[in-house]
Amino acid sequence: MANSTAAAVTLQHARRTERPAPRPAVLRPREADVLRQIAWGYTNREIASRLNLSVKTIENHKANAMRKLGITRRVEIVRYALQQRWFDFDITVDL
């Protein structure tokens, strides 16, 4: 009985914490470029230097893109990059 109750509570918690499916977001080319470089492992400062922009501008592009995509963490940027096939290697990923 306790196991079924624990399973039911776990299932209810999982349902409450599931994220809704993200709506398609239209990123501006610069926002996508910034996210791509973040996913590749570059810091905001490195991206700013590569694009001849200020770090603040990079932070703004990143924040706008993340807001549009409904994501809050850098690891989610990598997940998005995998979904968009921004990496040059051939792997199968279930996200």
Side-chain angles (χ1 to χ4, degrees):
M1 183 79 158
N3 286 341
S4 63
T5 302
V9 169
T10 302
L11 182 59
Q12 288 174 351
H13 176 71
R15 286 184 181 148
R16 280 194 308 251
T17 58
E18 286 180 9
R19 291 187 179 166
R23 64 182 187 272
V26 178
L27 298 180
R28 293 181 175 168
R30 184 64 84 188
E31 293 167 344
D33 191 24
V34 168
L35 287 191
R36 186 177 294 110
Q37 291 190 52
I38 289 170
W40 289 342
Y42 291 101
T43 65
N44 290 349
R45 178 174 282 168
E46 290 169 330
I47 298 167
S49 176
R50 291 167 59 97
L51 300 178
N52 292 318
L53 298 170
S54 73
V55 173
K56 183 65 177 169
T57 299
I58 299 303
E59 291 170 352
N60 286 335
H61 286 313
K62 180 182 84 167
N64 290 337
M66 290 176 74
R67 179 184 41 76
K68 288 178 182 181
L69 296 172
I71 60 178
T72 58
R73 299 176 300 159
R74 285 179 88 94
V75 69
E76 292 173 296
I77 295 172
V78 175
R79 185 176 297 131
Y80 179 78
L82 287 168
Q83 292 169 338
Q84 299 302 308
R85 302 185 184 274
W86 286 348
F87 294 102
D88 289 337
F89 49 83
D90 185 25
I91 61 169
T92 301
V93 179
D94 291 325
L95 302 175

